[in-house]
Amino acid sequence: MAEPVTFTAAQDHRNMMDQLHIETLRPGANGDENAPDHANYDEAKANPYPDWPDILKRDNGQPVTTPDQWWQQRRPEIVAAFEREVYGRVPAHVPAVTWRIKASEAETLEGLAIVATHLTGHADNSAAPDITADIDAMLIMPAASKTPAPMLIMFDWSPIRFPAPLKPEPEPANVDPRMAPFLAAARAGMLERLQHLLGDGWGVLLINPGSFQADNGAGLTRGIIGLTNQGQPRKPQDWGALRAWAWGASRALDYLSTRPDVDKNHVGIEGVSRYGKAALVTMAFDQRFYMGLIGSSGEGGAKPHRRNFGEAVENLTGEGEYHWMAGNFLKYGGPKNAGDLPVDAHQLIALAAPRLIFISYGIPKEGDAKWLDQQGSYMATVAAGSAWKLLGAKDLGVGNDYRTAQMPPPLIELMDGQLAWRQHVGGHTDTPNMASFVQWADRHMGRKTSSK
């Protein structure tokens, strides 16, 4: 085995450009509206590529009019294009993952009895012992559950730790010494989200994406991508971090499917911002997931690449974010452009049909920046609905003409179908939408909700 390569992000980025024979890329727009090179926020200039790829038309131009044509012909075409040009392919020889329990103990959450279990999913690194890719996870289950619980796997960016208790209270004398203080987010937004879910009888699995794939270009020869490549740089069609994080969520679902206390037919995935992108990618590529809560995902998630509003393709192809994507994606930051992409965000959302997808955003004045393009994401969700209707499910119920779609005001929810949209009045989080998500999902699962 060759020695693992150690690159900076700039060196890895240059290596991929060399493989693609690209000399230069167009610079990404500045998110600061006062900067001279700021992103476009003028709706009159936001749609330079108004003709989006048709979800229900095959690459050869033939219309898709039946579910069989979708499953056997059109959907595989869309998946192949996303793998080749956007997110990359997961290699066939990814190492197997073995799960073990590190520690488990009974706890309380706002008076609710729970059981917290610290887990590690170890990816077999015998072929490259110098590289590790272990999935750090925390399973939290309601202690009183008498039936298998629906589950939400949540991408969390903090190291997975757990104390007793979740809120500052006198610490019991019998706390497992292996349990360090719980992630700080659990004391704020995370705590509120856990209350909604666990209080309604759901289980939660928190996974730390950075534990098995770093969120930077320098990490591409390490983590699960580097382990699979035995420490060597990626090829243009290899997977990026978004696909790797989705792989980790799928391995967590493998584990949950072995537990009798989990309703394996009703497992969802959740994430915000870059992890909202990863949650949507997870839903698109792993059909075992029943539902997804996609929070403020922006470019590379629910925002169309073809929209010139806020963050753009050129931002994703620069040194700071290119590692999320396949190497081939760099081509669309120069010499090609967003209009040359064979697929776009509305088709990514459509890959989840007819399962449950809840697209969540906040408002710019509270910190969910215009950079994310809430209007464009709504347009993509509207367009995606044609796949739900073809498959006999309900979409947003507003038609599928993305060109004329106008985003409803905040708190005007579109949640009658399996595809849902809700813009809350908070910032860059999905916490204010969690209660609505739980009630909506419960209804589709035939459960009586108790979430407030």
Side-chain angles (χ1 to χ4, degrees), residues 7-10 12 210 213-222 225 234 240-241 245 274-275 319-324:
F7 275 157
T8 64
D12 186 85
Q213 188 59 54
D215 188 13
N216 55 64
L220 290 171
T221 57
R222 301 296 188 272
I225 295 175
R234 295 186 302 166
W245 295 335
R274 65 198 61 196
Y275 300 128
E319 289 179 16
E321 298 177 353
Y322 79 100
H323 60 279
W324 294 341

PDB file of all heavy atoms in Angstrom, residues 7-10 12 210 213-222 225 234 240-241 245 274-275 319-324:
ATOM      1  N   PHE A   7      -2.538  16.305   1.833  1.00  0.00           N
ATOM      2  CA  PHE A   7      -2.707  17.530   1.063  1.00  0.00           C
ATOM      3  C   PHE A   7      -3.325  18.608   1.944  1.00  0.00           C
ATOM      4  O   PHE A   7      -4.093  18.313   2.865  1.00  0.00           O
ATOM      5  CB  PHE A   7      -3.675  17.308  -0.109  1.00  0.00           C
ATOM      6  CG  PHE A   7      -3.062  16.746  -1.360  1.00  0.00           C
ATOM      7  CD1 PHE A   7      -3.866  16.071  -2.270  1.00  0.00           C
ATOM      8  CD2 PHE A   7      -1.717  16.903  -1.662  1.00  0.00           C
ATOM      9  CE1 PHE A   7      -3.342  15.560  -3.449  1.00  0.00           C
ATOM     10  CE2 PHE A   7      -1.183  16.403  -2.834  1.00  0.00           C
ATOM     11  CZ  PHE A   7      -1.994  15.724  -3.727  1.00  0.00           C
ATOM     12  N   THR A   8      -3.027  19.868   1.639  1.00  0.00           N
ATOM     13  CA  THR A   8      -3.882  20.948   2.117  1.00  0.00           C
ATOM     14  C   THR A   8      -5.113  20.976   1.220  1.00  0.00           C
ATOM     15  O   THR A   8      -5.139  20.361   0.146  1.00  0.00           O
ATOM     16  CB  THR A   8      -3.166  22.304   2.032  1.00  0.00           C
ATOM     17  OG1 THR A   8      -2.904  22.601   0.654  1.00  0.00           O
ATOM     18  CG2 THR A   8      -1.859  22.290   2.820  1.00  0.00           C
ATOM     19  N   ALA A   9      -6.141  21.722   1.628  1.00  0.00           N
ATOM     20  CA  ALA A   9      -7.322  21.840   0.785  1.00  0.00           C
ATOM     21  C   ALA A   9      -6.951  22.451  -0.566  1.00  0.00           C
ATOM     22  O   ALA A   9      -7.451  22.018  -1.615  1.00  0.00           O
ATOM     23  CB  ALA A   9      -8.386  22.685   1.481  1.00  0.00           C
ATOM     24  N   ALA A  10      -6.068  23.451  -0.561  1.00  0.00           N
ATOM     25  CA  ALA A  10      -5.665  24.090  -1.815  1.00  0.00           C
ATOM     26  C   ALA A  10      -4.956  23.096  -2.733  1.00  0.00           C
ATOM     27  O   ALA A  10      -5.174  23.090  -3.952  1.00  0.00           O
ATOM     28  CB  ALA A  10      -4.765  25.285  -1.520  1.00  0.00           C
ATOM     29  N   ASP A  12      -5.290  19.775  -2.729  1.00  0.00           N
ATOM     30  CA  ASP A  12      -6.250  18.785  -3.210  1.00  0.00           C
ATOM     31  C   ASP A  12      -7.145  19.385  -4.297  1.00  0.00           C
ATOM     32  O   ASP A  12      -7.443  18.736  -5.305  1.00  0.00           O
ATOM     33  CB  ASP A  12      -7.108  18.287  -2.038  1.00  0.00           C
ATOM     34  CG  ASP A  12      -8.027  17.161  -2.452  1.00  0.00           C
ATOM     35  OD1 ASP A  12      -7.587  16.004  -2.457  1.00  0.00           O
ATOM     36  OD2 ASP A  12      -9.197  17.454  -2.808  1.00  0.00           O
ATOM     37  N   GLY A 210     -18.567  14.789  11.239  1.00  0.00           N
ATOM     38  CA  GLY A 210     -17.131  15.015  11.234  1.00  0.00           C
ATOM     39  C   GLY A 210     -16.324  13.884  11.835  1.00  0.00           C
ATOM     40  O   GLY A 210     -15.101  13.823  11.645  1.00  0.00           O
ATOM     41  N   GLN A 213     -15.983  11.814   8.405  1.00  0.00           N
ATOM     42  CA  GLN A 213     -15.513  12.523   7.216  1.00  0.00           C
ATOM     43  C   GLN A 213     -15.423  13.998   7.537  1.00  0.00           C
ATOM     44  O   GLN A 213     -16.436  14.640   7.796  1.00  0.00           O
ATOM     45  CB  GLN A 213     -16.420  12.303   6.002  1.00  0.00           C
ATOM     46  CG  GLN A 213     -15.856  12.867   4.712  1.00  0.00           C
ATOM     47  CD  GLN A 213     -14.502  12.243   4.361  1.00  0.00           C
ATOM     48  OE1 GLN A 213     -14.379  11.016   4.294  1.00  0.00           O
ATOM     49  NE2 GLN A 213     -13.493  13.070   4.162  1.00  0.00           N
ATOM     50  N   ALA A 214     -14.213  14.515   7.520  1.00  0.00           N
ATOM     51  CA  ALA A 214     -13.992  15.916   7.884  1.00  0.00           C
ATOM     52  C   ALA A 214     -14.684  16.861   6.905  1.00  0.00           C
ATOM     53  O   ALA A 214     -14.848  16.563   5.723  1.00  0.00           O
ATOM     54  CB  ALA A 214     -12.491  16.210   7.911  1.00  0.00           C
ATOM     55  N   ASP A 215     -15.055  18.012   7.405  1.00  0.00           N
ATOM     56  CA  ASP A 215     -15.730  19.021   6.597  1.00  0.00           C
ATOM     57  C   ASP A 215     -14.706  19.978   5.981  1.00  0.00           C
ATOM     58  O   ASP A 215     -14.761  21.194   6.167  1.00  0.00           O
ATOM     59  CB  ASP A 215     -16.732  19.783   7.466  1.00  0.00           C
ATOM     60  CG  ASP A 215     -17.608  20.730   6.655  1.00  0.00           C
ATOM     61  OD1 ASP A 215     -17.607  20.616   5.415  1.00  0.00           O
ATOM     62  OD2 ASP A 215     -18.284  21.578   7.272  1.00  0.00           O
ATOM     63  N   ASN A 216     -13.750  19.430   5.256  1.00  0.00           N
ATOM     64  CA  ASN A 216     -12.754  20.253   4.561  1.00  0.00           C
ATOM     65  C   ASN A 216     -12.057  19.423   3.493  1.00  0.00           C
ATOM     66  O   ASN A 216     -12.086  18.189   3.523  1.00  0.00           O
ATOM     67  CB  ASN A 216     -11.728  20.828   5.544  1.00  0.00           C
ATOM     68  CG  ASN A 216     -11.042  19.752   6.374  1.00  0.00           C
ATOM     69  OD1 ASN A 216     -10.330  18.905   5.841  1.00  0.00           O
ATOM     70  ND2 ASN A 216     -11.260  19.790   7.686  1.00  0.00           N
ATOM     71  N   GLY A 217     -11.432  20.113   2.551  1.00  0.00           N
ATOM     72  CA  GLY A 217     -10.762  19.424   1.454  1.00  0.00           C
ATOM     73  C   GLY A 217      -9.530  18.657   1.881  1.00  0.00           C
ATOM     74  O   GLY A 217      -9.191  17.636   1.271  1.00  0.00           O
ATOM     75  N   ALA A 218      -8.849  19.130   2.926  1.00  0.00           N
ATOM     76  CA  ALA A 218      -7.662  18.424   3.401  1.00  0.00           C
ATOM     77  C   ALA A 218      -8.002  17.038   3.922  1.00  0.00           C
ATOM     78  O   ALA A 218      -7.143  16.147   3.960  1.00  0.00           O
ATOM     79  CB  ALA A 218      -6.978  19.243   4.494  1.00  0.00           C
ATOM     80  N   GLY A 219      -9.265  16.845   4.322  1.00  0.00           N
ATOM     81  CA  GLY A 219      -9.673  15.562   4.884  1.00  0.00           C
ATOM     82  C   GLY A 219     -10.082  14.519   3.870  1.00  0.00           C
ATOM     83  O   GLY A 219     -10.456  13.401   4.252  1.00  0.00           O
ATOM     84  N   LEU A 220     -10.004  14.823   2.584  1.00  0.00           N
ATOM     85  CA  LEU A 220     -10.493  13.881   1.575  1.00  0.00           C
ATOM     86  C   LEU A 220      -9.608  12.661   1.394  1.00  0.00           C
ATOM     87  O   LEU A 220     -10.040  11.667   0.796  1.00  0.00           O
ATOM     88  CB  LEU A 220     -10.686  14.596   0.234  1.00  0.00           C
ATOM     89  CG  LEU A 220     -11.855  15.593   0.202  1.00  0.00           C
ATOM     90  CD1 LEU A 220     -11.839  16.411  -1.078  1.00  0.00           C
ATOM     91  CD2 LEU A 220     -13.190  14.869   0.354  1.00  0.00           C
ATOM     92  N   THR A 221      -8.378  12.702   1.880  1.00  0.00           N
ATOM     93  CA  THR A 221      -7.545  11.493   1.868  1.00  0.00           C
ATOM     94  C   THR A 221      -7.587  10.800   3.231  1.00  0.00           C
ATOM     95  O   THR A 221      -6.798   9.883   3.490  1.00  0.00           O
ATOM     96  CB  THR A 221      -6.092  11.820   1.484  1.00  0.00           C
ATOM     97  OG1 THR A 221      -5.558  12.792   2.395  1.00  0.00           O
ATOM     98  CG2 THR A 221      -6.015  12.358   0.061  1.00  0.00           C
ATOM     99  N   ARG A 222      -8.491  11.226   4.088  1.00  0.00           N
ATOM    100  CA  ARG A 222      -8.726  10.603   5.383  1.00  0.00           C
ATOM    101  C   ARG A 222     -10.233  10.333   5.503  1.00  0.00           C
ATOM    102  O   ARG A 222     -10.983  10.527   4.564  1.00  0.00           O
ATOM    103  CB  ARG A 222      -8.239  11.513   6.519  1.00  0.00           C
ATOM    104  CG  ARG A 222      -6.752  11.864   6.456  1.00  0.00           C
ATOM    105  CD  ARG A 222      -5.858  10.645   6.612  1.00  0.00           C
ATOM    106  NE  ARG A 222      -4.448  10.989   6.739  1.00  0.00           N
ATOM    107  CZ  ARG A 222      -3.613  11.144   5.725  1.00  0.00           C
ATOM    108  NH1 ARG A 222      -4.062  11.014   4.469  1.00  0.00           N
ATOM    109  NH2 ARG A 222      -2.336  11.432   5.928  1.00  0.00           N
ATOM    110  N   ILE A 225     -13.874   8.436   3.005  1.00  0.00           N
ATOM    111  CA  ILE A 225     -13.450   8.581   1.612  1.00  0.00           C
ATOM    112  C   ILE A 225     -11.995   8.181   1.469  1.00  0.00           C
ATOM    113  O   ILE A 225     -11.623   7.401   0.581  1.00  0.00           O
ATOM    114  CB  ILE A 225     -13.685  10.022   1.120  1.00  0.00           C
ATOM    115  CG1 ILE A 225     -15.179  10.341   1.096  1.00  0.00           C
ATOM    116  CG2 ILE A 225     -13.081  10.224  -0.280  1.00  0.00           C
ATOM    117  CD1 ILE A 225     -15.512  11.793   0.746  1.00  0.00           C
ATOM    118  N   ARG A 234      -8.918  11.653  -4.592  1.00  0.00           N
ATOM    119  CA  ARG A 234     -10.114  11.231  -5.324  1.00  0.00           C
ATOM    120  C   ARG A 234      -9.911  11.306  -6.828  1.00  0.00           C
ATOM    121  O   ARG A 234      -9.118  12.091  -7.326  1.00  0.00           O
ATOM    122  CB  ARG A 234     -11.300  12.124  -4.970  1.00  0.00           C
ATOM    123  CG  ARG A 234     -11.784  12.061  -3.568  1.00  0.00           C
ATOM    124  CD  ARG A 234     -13.064  12.895  -3.425  1.00  0.00           C
ATOM    125  NE  ARG A 234     -12.874  14.305  -3.816  1.00  0.00           N
ATOM    126  CZ  ARG A 234     -13.876  15.160  -4.038  1.00  0.00           C
ATOM    127  NH1 ARG A 234     -15.129  14.769  -3.907  1.00  0.00           N
ATOM    128  NH2 ARG A 234     -13.623  16.408  -4.387  1.00  0.00           N
ATOM    129  N   GLY A 240     -18.128  12.950  -2.630  1.00  0.00           N
ATOM    130  CA  GLY A 240     -17.706  14.035  -1.773  1.00  0.00           C
ATOM    131  C   GLY A 240     -18.292  13.881  -0.380  1.00  0.00           C
ATOM    132  O   GLY A 240     -18.952  12.887  -0.054  1.00  0.00           O
ATOM    133  N   ALA A 241     -18.063  14.881   0.463  1.00  0.00           N
ATOM    134  CA  ALA A 241     -18.448  14.774   1.873  1.00  0.00           C
ATOM    135  C   ALA A 241     -19.962  14.629   2.060  1.00  0.00           C
ATOM    136  O   ALA A 241     -20.402  13.912   2.970  1.00  0.00           O
ATOM    137  CB  ALA A 241     -17.936  15.979   2.645  1.00  0.00           C
ATOM    138  N   TRP A 245     -21.398  11.702   4.275  1.00  0.00           N
ATOM    139  CA  TRP A 245     -22.241  11.865   5.461  1.00  0.00           C
ATOM    140  C   TRP A 245     -23.539  11.081   5.310  1.00  0.00           C
ATOM    141  O   TRP A 245     -24.026  10.474   6.276  1.00  0.00           O
ATOM    142  CB  TRP A 245     -22.525  13.351   5.698  1.00  0.00           C
ATOM    143  CG  TRP A 245     -21.288  14.144   6.025  1.00  0.00           C
ATOM    144  CD1 TRP A 245     -20.125  13.679   6.583  1.00  0.00           C
ATOM    145  CD2 TRP A 245     -21.087  15.544   5.807  1.00  0.00           C
ATOM    146  NE1 TRP A 245     -19.219  14.700   6.726  1.00  0.00           N
ATOM    147  CE2 TRP A 245     -19.778  15.859   6.264  1.00  0.00           C
ATOM    148  CE3 TRP A 245     -21.872  16.560   5.276  1.00  0.00           C
ATOM    149  CZ2 TRP A 245     -19.260  17.162   6.208  1.00  0.00           C
ATOM    150  CZ3 TRP A 245     -21.356  17.853   5.216  1.00  0.00           C
ATOM    151  CH2 TRP A 245     -20.062  18.139   5.674  1.00  0.00           C
ATOM    152  N   ARG A 274     -25.521  22.843   5.841  1.00  0.00           N
ATOM    153  CA  ARG A 274     -24.806  21.817   5.067  1.00  0.00           C
ATOM    154  C   ARG A 274     -25.327  20.422   5.399  1.00  0.00           C
ATOM    155  O   ARG A 274     -25.314  19.528   4.553  1.00  0.00           O
ATOM    156  CB  ARG A 274     -23.306  21.912   5.298  1.00  0.00           C
ATOM    157  CG  ARG A 274     -22.835  21.603   6.705  1.00  0.00           C
ATOM    158  CD  ARG A 274     -21.445  22.146   6.946  1.00  0.00           C
ATOM    159  NE  ARG A 274     -21.433  23.591   6.792  1.00  0.00           N
ATOM    160  CZ  ARG A 274     -20.325  24.323   6.647  1.00  0.00           C
ATOM    161  NH1 ARG A 274     -19.140  23.735   6.647  1.00  0.00           N
ATOM    162  NH2 ARG A 274     -20.390  25.628   6.516  1.00  0.00           N
ATOM    163  N   TYR A 275     -25.793  20.243   6.620  1.00  0.00           N
ATOM    164  CA  TYR A 275     -26.348  18.940   6.987  1.00  0.00           C
ATOM    165  C   TYR A 275     -27.786  18.797   6.503  1.00  0.00           C
ATOM    166  O   TYR A 275     -28.305  17.681   6.427  1.00  0.00           O
ATOM    167  CB  TYR A 275     -26.206  18.720   8.489  1.00  0.00           C
ATOM    168  CG  TYR A 275     -24.754  18.762   8.921  1.00  0.00           C
ATOM    169  CD1 TYR A 275     -24.334  19.585   9.958  1.00  0.00           C
ATOM    170  CD2 TYR A 275     -23.800  18.016   8.234  1.00  0.00           C
ATOM    171  CE1 TYR A 275     -22.992  19.643  10.328  1.00  0.00           C
ATOM    172  CE2 TYR A 275     -22.466  18.075   8.595  1.00  0.00           C
ATOM    173  CZ  TYR A 275     -22.062  18.898   9.640  1.00  0.00           C
ATOM    174  OH  TYR A 275     -20.729  18.954   9.987  1.00  0.00           O
ATOM    175  N   GLU A 319     -12.373  26.573  -3.159  1.00  0.00           N
ATOM    176  CA  GLU A 319     -11.612  25.737  -2.214  1.00  0.00           C
ATOM    177  C   GLU A 319     -12.348  25.473  -0.908  1.00  0.00           C
ATOM    178  O   GLU A 319     -12.094  24.480  -0.231  1.00  0.00           O
ATOM    179  CB  GLU A 319     -10.256  26.391  -1.908  1.00  0.00           C
ATOM    180  CG  GLU A 319      -9.283  26.360  -3.063  1.00  0.00           C
ATOM    181  CD  GLU A 319      -7.968  27.033  -2.716  1.00  0.00           C
ATOM    182  OE1 GLU A 319      -7.709  27.254  -1.511  1.00  0.00           O
ATOM    183  OE2 GLU A 319      -7.196  27.332  -3.645  1.00  0.00           O
ATOM    184  N   GLY A 320     -13.286  26.353  -0.528  1.00  0.00           N
ATOM    185  CA  GLY A 320     -13.922  26.208   0.768  1.00  0.00           C
ATOM    186  C   GLY A 320     -15.029  25.175   0.845  1.00  0.00           C
ATOM    187  O   GLY A 320     -15.334  24.674   1.931  1.00  0.00           O
ATOM    188  N   GLU A 321     -15.668  24.845  -0.300  1.00  0.00           N
ATOM    189  CA  GLU A 321     -16.831  23.974  -0.261  1.00  0.00           C
ATOM    190  C   GLU A 321     -16.796  22.843  -1.289  1.00  0.00           C
ATOM    191  O   GLU A 321     -17.688  21.984  -1.283  1.00  0.00           O
ATOM    192  CB  GLU A 321     -18.116  24.807  -0.467  1.00  0.00           C
ATOM    193  CG  GLU A 321     -18.329  25.841   0.623  1.00  0.00           C
ATOM    194  CD  GLU A 321     -19.557  26.715   0.404  1.00  0.00           C
ATOM    195  OE1 GLU A 321     -20.179  26.618  -0.673  1.00  0.00           O
ATOM    196  OE2 GLU A 321     -19.894  27.503   1.312  1.00  0.00           O
ATOM    197  N   TYR A 322     -15.804  22.816  -2.152  1.00  0.00           N
ATOM    198  CA  TYR A 322     -15.773  21.814  -3.231  1.00  0.00           C
ATOM    199  C   TYR A 322     -15.772  20.396  -2.704  1.00  0.00           C
ATOM    200  O   TYR A 322     -16.214  19.458  -3.385  1.00  0.00           O
ATOM    201  CB  TYR A 322     -14.530  22.032  -4.112  1.00  0.00           C
ATOM    202  CG  TYR A 322     -13.271  21.472  -3.489  1.00  0.00           C
ATOM    203  CD1 TYR A 322     -12.765  20.233  -3.891  1.00  0.00           C
ATOM    204  CD2 TYR A 322     -12.619  22.142  -2.458  1.00  0.00           C
ATOM    205  CE1 TYR A 322     -11.630  19.696  -3.304  1.00  0.00           C
ATOM    206  CE2 TYR A 322     -11.498  21.617  -1.863  1.00  0.00           C
ATOM    207  CZ  TYR A 322     -10.997  20.395  -2.283  1.00  0.00           C
ATOM    208  OH  TYR A 322      -9.891  19.855  -1.699  1.00  0.00           O
ATOM    209  N   HIS A 323     -15.266  20.204  -1.487  1.00  0.00           N
ATOM    210  CA  HIS A 323     -15.144  18.858  -0.926  1.00  0.00           C
ATOM    211  C   HIS A 323     -16.503  18.213  -0.665  1.00  0.00           C
ATOM    212  O   HIS A 323     -16.589  17.004  -0.490  1.00  0.00           O
ATOM    213  CB  HIS A 323     -14.335  18.891   0.374  1.00  0.00           C
ATOM    214  CG  HIS A 323     -14.957  19.746   1.442  1.00  0.00           C
ATOM    215  ND1 HIS A 323     -14.812  21.116   1.475  1.00  0.00           N
ATOM    216  CD2 HIS A 323     -15.732  19.436   2.507  1.00  0.00           C
ATOM    217  CE1 HIS A 323     -15.467  21.610   2.520  1.00  0.00           C
ATOM    218  NE2 HIS A 323     -16.033  20.604   3.161  1.00  0.00           N
ATOM    219  N   TRP A 324     -17.568  19.027  -0.633  1.00  0.00           N
ATOM    220  CA  TRP A 324     -18.911  18.461  -0.469  1.00  0.00           C
ATOM    221  C   TRP A 324     -19.324  17.659  -1.698  1.00  0.00           C
ATOM    222  O   TRP A 324     -20.173  16.763  -1.595  1.00  0.00           O
ATOM    223  CB  TRP A 324     -19.938  19.563  -0.258  1.00  0.00           C
ATOM    224  CG  TRP A 324     -19.805  20.349   1.003  1.00  0.00           C
ATOM    225  CD1 TRP A 324     -19.131  19.986   2.141  1.00  0.00           C
ATOM    226  CD2 TRP A 324     -20.375  21.632   1.273  1.00  0.00           C
ATOM    227  NE1 TRP A 324     -19.249  20.969   3.090  1.00  0.00           N
ATOM    228  CE2 TRP A 324     -20.004  21.989   2.588  1.00  0.00           C
ATOM    229  CE3 TRP A 324     -21.159  22.510   0.533  1.00  0.00           C
ATOM    230  CZ2 TRP A 324     -20.395  23.194   3.183  1.00  0.00           C
ATOM    231  CZ3 TRP A 324     -21.553  23.711   1.114  1.00  0.00           C
ATOM    232  CH2 TRP A 324     -21.172  24.042   2.423  1.00  0.00           C
TER     233      TRP A 324
END
